[in-house]
Every structure is written in structure tokens, then in C-alpha cells.
Amino acid sequence: MRFWIVSLALFLTLLPGPVLAVTEIEISAPGEQSIPLALTRLIAHEGPQADQFAAEFNEVLNADLDLAGLFHFVDPAAFLSDAQRLGLFSNQVDFSQWRLLGAETLIKGTYTLEGEELKVEARLFDVINRRLLTGRRYVGKVKDVRRMAHAFADQILKELTGEEGPFSARIAYISNQTDNKELWLMDVDGKRPIRLTDHRSIVLNPDFSPRGKEIVFTSYRAGNPDLYRKEIYTGSEAKVSYQQGLNIAGRFAPGEREIALTLSKDGNPEIYLISTSGRISKRITDNWGIDSDPSWSPDGDRIAFISNRQGNPHVFIADVFSRETTRLTRRGNYNATPAWSPKGDRIAFTRQQAGRFDIFTIAADGSDERRLTFGSGNKEHPRWSPDGRFLVYSSDAGGNRAIYVMRADGTGARRLTTLESDCRHPAWSPRW
Amino acid sequence: MPLRMNKSYHDDNKFGRFLLISLLIHGLLWIALAANWFGTARRVKPPVYYVDLVHKPVLKPQAGRPDSRPVKQSKPAPPKPKPIPEVTPVKTVTPVEPKPQPTVTPPAQQQPKPAPEVRPNQKLQSALDEIRERQARQAERDALKAKLAALQQSATIPDDVPVGMPDGSGTEVGVSALAFVQAYIQQNWALSPYLLANPSRMGSIEAKVLLVYAADGRLERFRILEASGDSQFDDSIKKAITKSQQLPQPLPQRVELSVLFNLKEMAQARR
């Protein structure tokens, strides 16, 4: 009998239990496509009050994070008492106040001013999980407050996305502010412009070395468009390539040992590789058509360039080792200035349509072509930020040609330079 | 004796075998009927007839359903008209008409009329008029309020109002409790496409989470059934769930939800 009792018990245990109906639902988009961020103003920790520095830090950080497109800002007018509280540790922050305002992330900070020395401590908090995400202490002169804010914006992007932002970098560009086209350098937000050359001629096409210490550019200083190389910190300058004819559109190879450029020493513009001392090391193209505007792939194995060898100017890709070329773009009658993204997946270029240049991107295999810019004015000379998140370009949409920046998907465009002078040929430096 | 024992054993064995076979057959039948051979899940796409783009999920999602009968409320007493303050009659002094004095004026040139002299009794009269006018306006307002209150009382939900139709008093978004939960979690989910490690995966990225809500709207437990592999995406979902730990209103019953999070709509919009 025991056998049957055991069998019955076993049988009952194996029976399926009461079936709970699990209902499936699908949520196919987030309610908000940006993270609510509360950005508070720095508070004086010790020493005298210096609201102008706090305001400047706040303004720069706000602009950088706004460009990043990750956040939307909680209205500072709604901030409660915690915004005025000094505590920078998780247990000193009243997260419930910020949660009440709908914030998911919070930036708080303090500053200490001692004479000319400025110390800034900034923190990024996760409001939902009530924890510190990242924090940095910056020490410098009062004039460095903008750099500190850019650096913290980079740090925030690194914390949230795993990749550092490009806001501490600089942008080189050509401006005729002194009535001559000279090489200038400015912050990523267009502030603190400084002139680098005084050639009193025409300077064109700057490009940063991969470490960001040097710039190559073309100048008509000696009458011929020659390629120059300039050290940014020392200011020392040298002529690198001065072949007869064009020596233009120099681009440093990722390894920094070679420069790709267009030379027309034999009559027809072709793509060459030269060493950093100017010695020709390789001829990449050999065709009756005009080949120009080289741009390296991030691995240094391929070069995108413009050629009219099949009729209209189109983007082609050349293998550096085998010198085999393949055509990338098939649409449009006039494509120009390709720029390979630092991630290697896409190539930006300009195309003339209906008498106007606009910026496009295309996958490196020739698929998925997308138009990024619309509206009036020409948009030209696109160049990528070192993280591939943004594109900087020049446009005459506002009358005079100015430098603009936008996200890599074409959104968030904003002007960086004033319309008082003509600015073009921007190049985003590596991380500074 | 051994023979009897054998017989008894034999009979017992026979009965046991029959019992076992019977139990097994019943058991198998039960398993066959009870088991869900094609998965336990039933995807419910909550019907939404009218989408309220302005209002967020309402607090009382069941309001407006014909099956949730409104509780009969005793008719409130009609609003009492405010007592009109008695106006004490003010003795009006009839102005003494001034005797017209014959003056000879040239017909072509008219003299500007002199400003009428305001006398104290005239001032009183105008103040009185003003009070009367204010009282009349107040009475009119009270009458309108009473009318509105009466209308609101008489407005009942007819039986044949379909679920979610604007004739009901509930906001359409909140008619279904499931739709309400779905909208509430979605509202709490914030994710920027720029946060994704690989934005080109936007169309295929997804994660599945099991949520168990008690009838009082409290999140009893949750479990990530399938992670997406993108830490930012998974983290944003965890935050949305943390924010949705307590629903702002109770549910009709305890629910187990398998929520599939993905970015299909966002990917479509970006194409």
C-alpha cells in the first residue's frame, strides 16, 4: 500500500501547478528620447564669491551637453533647496527633490578661488539609483574655467557612453579676418580664436597630425601652392612639399609617418604619399582624370578621394598597398571633399544638387547614403570630430561663410564663428 | 494459508494495477488539457480607439467603462441661492429743478455746456445703482452655477457606451488597465539614441523583463528574462522599472507581465 501512496504523491507533485497567465506587452520606444538632466550652478566652497566663473562654467557645460544631444535640461527655475546645498557626496544630496523634478541625472559642483588659482569640483549623480557616477577636480588659473567645463563634459560622455567627448579638442580653420586667408585655431564652441599663421597670402586645407601637435596646410606664400607643416606649441614652421604645380589637400596618415596629398608635378593632379620630410614614397593613383582630396581610413589601409575618371567627380576608394580603386558614389553630378569617419563605418562628402552643395554620408561599402543638410546656402568641407559623433563644416547660409557644427545624423546644427569674416576649411583636432 | 495469502496478494495487485492505470489515464488527460502546448503567453495588444495625445495616463483608468457602474449618489441639495442683502431704501431727495433763466444767446454760436454740478444726493443715487447692478450680476452667476450643477448631476453614463468612446467619462488612454501600465512604464523610460553603443543595431535591440504587480499597484518583483547586451539600453530599462515601482493607482487584480522593450518605432522614425 505504501507503494501506491508514494506513487500517488509522486504523481501529484508532477502535476502542473496552477497556471498563471503571463501577459506579454511590448514597448517599442522610450517615452523620452533624452535623459532629464538637472545642471546646477557651481557654489563657492571657500574663498570669495565669483559668480562669473560659476556662470561661465555652467554656460560652457550646458552648450556642450546640449550639442551632445543626450539630455534635456530641467528648468533651473524649478530647482529646490538642494541646488544651493554644498554637499557633493551621495549621502549629502537630497535625491528625492531631484526625482520630484523628473531629473534622472544631476550635476553639482563647487569652486574655490584663491587669488588667480581656481579649483573646481564637479560631480555627476544618478538620481534614480542615488549614486555618484563620476566626479573630477580641476585646478588651474581663472582663465582656464572654460577648459575645465569642456573637460568635464568629455568626462560625462565617457561615463555615460564609454567614449570620451571631443569638447576639449580644438578646431583649425581658415579665416580672412585680417584680410588675408590665414590659419586660425579656436575652441570647439567657437570661443578663444587665435591666429596661427601670418603668411599674408592664401592659406588652405589644414589637417592635424594624429597626436594633435602639428598641422599641415597649403599656402601660396611663395607664389606656388606648397604644403607646410607647423608645430602648434612652438610655432615653428617648415615647407614640406614644394613640387611644381599643386601641393594641396595634405592629410596625415593614422600612423603619422606619411602624408597623402595631391600633386600635379607631372601635369595631371594625382594622389601621392610623402614622408613627413617631404620625400615622395608612393604614387597612389595613375589616371588621366583629376584625382584629389585624399582622406585616410582609420586603419590606414585605404584612401578615399575624388576623381572624375568616369565622367563626373565621384568618391573613389584606393587600396594603399595594391593601389586598386573602387567607385563609392553613384549619384549626383558633383561630389567633393570626402572625409572618412574615425570609426571607419561612414564617409562624409559634399554633393552639388540644384546648384547648391549639401553634406551627405555613405557607408564605407557604398550602401546607405544619407543626406544630412537641407535648406539654403552651401554646406562644404565636412570633417569629423575625433569620436565620430559630430561633423564640422563651413556654410554660407547666413551670408558670409562661417564654421558650423552638427551631430553625425545631421541634427543640432549651430554656428561657431561670427559672420563678420569669411571662415572655411575646418578641421577638428584629436583630443587635446 | 499461503494459497490464501497468494490470492489476497493477487487480488490486491489487480486492484492496484487498475488504480494505477486509471490514475495515469486521468493524469495524462489532465496534463493534456491543462498544459499550454503553444506557450503560456498570450500577447495582448490593448485596444486603443482614441489616443489622447495631450493627457498622460489617468489616475482612474477604469472610469468610463460601462461595466463599472457609477455608484448612485444621493442627489445633493440644490445650491442655496445666496441671500440678497437687503438694501435699505435710501431716501432720495428730489432735486429741486432750477428755474430756467431766460438768456439771450446768439443762435450761431453755441456755448459749451457747463459740467453738471454733482450734488450729494446724485452721488448716493449712483452708488445705489452700482450696488443693484452688482447684485443682479451675482444673482445671474448663481443661477448659472445652479444650472451647471444640475446638469452635472443629471449626466449619467448610458449602458450602451462602448469602452473607450468619448461619451464615457474616462480618458481613452486609461480604459484598459494593461494599456495604463504600459503607458506608465513607457512614460518613465528615457533613453537617448546617442547613448547606444551601436546605433546601427537600433532596429534589432530588445530586452524582455518579467514584472509582477500586486493588485494595489506595487511592483512585487521583477526579473530580466533576456538582456539586450547593450549596457546603456539595459540600464535605462532598469531605471524605468525603478521609477514604475508603484503605480499611481491600484489594478483590478495581481498581474504578471512579460514586457518586451525595443526601439522599433525609433528606428523606423530614423529611416
Side-chain angles (χ1 to χ4, degrees), chain B residues 9-29:
Chain B
Y9 172 75
H10 185 73
D11 287 345
D12 193 25
N13 197 19
K14 206 173 177 183
F15 167 73
R17 204 179 299 157
F18 274 34
L19 178 69
L20 182 66
I21 290 166
S22 169
L23 276 172
L24 278 174
I25 290 171
H26 278 88
L28 285 172
L29 200 65

Side-chain angles (χ1 to χ4, degrees), chain B residues 79-96:
Chain B
K80 286 179 183 175
K82 279 191 176 176
I84 301 167
E86 283 182 14
V87 182
T88 48
V90 180
K91 280 185 183 177
T92 53
V93 183
T94 49
V96 182

Side-chain angles (χ1 to χ4, degrees), chain A residues 190-406:
Chain A
K191 299 287 189 283
R192 300 196 307 155
I194 50 166
R195 184 164 50 82
L196 293 185
T197 60
D198 189 17
H199 284 205
R200 299 177 193 201
S201 175
I202 298 172
V203 176
L204 295 169
N205 263 319
D207 186 58
F208 283 93
S209 67
R211 288 179 199 161
K213 290 182 178 175
E214 292 179 28
I215 297 181
V216 287
F217 56 91
T218 298
S219 174
Y220 283 78
R221 186 184 207 172
N224 192 56
D226 299 328
L227 193 75
Y228 288 74
R229 176 179 163 190
K230 188 177 184 79
E231 276 188 2
I232 296 168
Y233 288 109
T234 62
S236 64
E237 197 175 290
K239 212 187 268 187
V240 183
S241 176
Y242 40 95
Q243 304 280 347
Q244 192 184 359
L246 301 172
N247 297 264
I248 58 169
R251 297 283 185 273
F252 270 105
E256 211 164 318
R257 290 182 182 171
E258 287 178 312
I259 297 168
L261 81 167
T262 303
L263 298 177
S264 65
K265 62 185 181 64
D266 300 323
N268 189 39
E270 301 285 355
I271 308 289
Y272 286 82
L273 299 186
I274 60 169
S275 68
T276 47
S277 59
R279 189 178 52 82
I280 294 175
S281 55
K282 196 168 194 173
R283 179 172 176 165
I284 299 295
T285 60
D286 188 1
N287 191 275
W288 64 267
I290 296 171
D291 300 327
S292 66
D293 290 337
S295 177
W296 290 89
S297 65
D299 57 10
D301 290 347
R302 289 171 293 169
I303 291 176
F305 63 99
I306 295 294
S307 177
N308 66 348
R309 61 184 63 192
Q310 290 181 10
N312 293 320
H314 276 284
V315 181
F316 286 75
I317 291 178
D319 188 292
V320 173
F321 304 107
S322 67
R323 294 193 293 181
E324 278 178 16
T325 58
T326 50
R327 183 171 163 178
L328 190 74
T329 58
R330 309 233 158 236
R331 296 183 201 160
N333 296 326
Y334 197 109
N335 300 286
T337 57
W340 212 310
S341 112
K343 288 182 178 167
D345 55 343
R346 299 193 73 80
I347 294 168
F349 61 97
T350 54
R351 173 177 296 160
Q352 193 181 36
Q353 278 188 174
R356 205 178 56 222
F357 278 101
D358 272 300
I359 296 173
F360 293 72
T361 60
I362 189 168
D365 61 359
S367 64
D368 192 22
E369 187 181 286
R370 292 180 191 188
R371 182 177 172 176
L372 300 186
T373 59
F374 299 86
S376 63
N378 294 292
K379 288 97 180 173
E380 293 177 86
H381 315 122
R383 298 294 292 272
W384 295 88
S385 63
D387 58 354
R389 284 188 178 104
F390 308 103
L391 280 163
V392 64
Y393 60 98
S394 71
S395 171
D396 58 4
N400 253 347
R401 189 170 282 273
I403 307 295
Y404 288 72
V405 66
M406 66 180 175

Side-chain angles (χ1 to χ4, degrees), chain A residues 1 3-4 7-8 11-12 14-16 19-36 68-70 99 102 104-105 126 128-129 131 159-162 370 389 407 409 411, chain B residues 16-17 20 23-24 27-28 30-31 34 40-44 178 182 185-195 208 210 232 235 239 242-243 254 256-266 270:
Chain A
M1 198 63 194
F3 168 76
W4 297 115
S7 301
L8 192 64
F11 176 72
L12 288 172
L14 289 175
L15 279 177
V19 181
L20 282 176
V22 180
T23 309
E24 284 197 2
I25 57 175
E26 182 178 352
I27 298 177
S28 51
E32 290 183 287
Q33 296 191 10
S34 53
I35 314 293
L70 291 170
R99 184 103 180 245
E104 282 197 10
T105 42
D126 177 347
I128 306 299
N129 296 314
R131 65 189 178 99
E159 177 58 37
L160 294 180
T161 66
R370 292 180 191 188
R389 284 188 178 104
R407 294 179 204 121
D409 59 3
T411 60
Chain B
R17 204 179 299 157
L20 182 66
L23 276 172
L24 278 174
L28 285 172
W30 193 11
I31 290 167
T40 56
R42 183 170 58 91
R43 187 164 294 197
V44 174
L178 275 182
Q182 186 186 26
I185 297 170
Q186 185 171 25
Q187 176 189 299
N188 285 334
W189 184 24
L191 175 68
S192 167
Y194 303 112
L195 271 180
K208 201 179 246 186
L210 178 78
Q232 295 300 330
D235 193 43
K239 280 184 184 171
T242 309
K243 285 165 85 178
R254 181 175 180 271
E256 278 197 30
L257 300 172
S258 166
V259 188
L260 182 70
F261 290 89
N262 59 41
L263 299 173
K264 280 180 191 166
E265 274 181 46
M266 208 196 265
R270 287 181 162 253

